[in-house]
Amino acid sequence: MSENEYWFCLTHHTVEGRDGCRNSDRLGPYASAAEASRALEKVEERNEEWDNDPKWNDDAPGSGDGLSDGTPDN
């Protein structure tokens, strides 16, 4: 682990070094404090990408709804 790693604390909404809050309460590690400060923006960007990715479309037929060819499974 590098000494120049940073995390974004989800509890305090601050950038932390190695000795911050417990890992379950933060995102990272990131290579820079600037990158860590954008953690929530990056999460939002990725969620938006996944929400609009046809391979991740949970509403499409065959997505676990019992309909893969337009008819219910028996």
Side-chain angles (χ1 to χ4, degrees):
M1 209 186 311
S2 169
E3 290 199 23
N4 295 327
E5 291 180 322
Y6 301 88
W7 288 260
F8 182 81
C9 177
L10 297 168
T11 302
H12 302 105
H13 289 254
T14 58
V15 173
E16 302 178 338
R18 176 182 295 188
D19 296 328
C21 292
R22 61 187 185 170
N23 285 339
S24 63
D25 292 334
R26 55 192 192 166
L27 301 173
Y30 296 93
S32 70
E35 193 178 347
S37 71
R38 287 197 66 244
L40 292 180
E41 291 174 46
K42 189 67 173 174
V43 166
E44 189 173 321
E45 289 169 7
R46 287 181 179 158
N47 285 345
E48 184 70 25
E49 288 174 19
W50 291 339
D51 285 346
N52 294 307
D53 185 338
K55 293 181 282 188
W56 289 94
N57 186 348
D58 292 336
D59 297 328
S63 62
D65 59 5
L67 299 173
S68 58
D69 63 356
T71 60
D73 294 338
N74 291 335

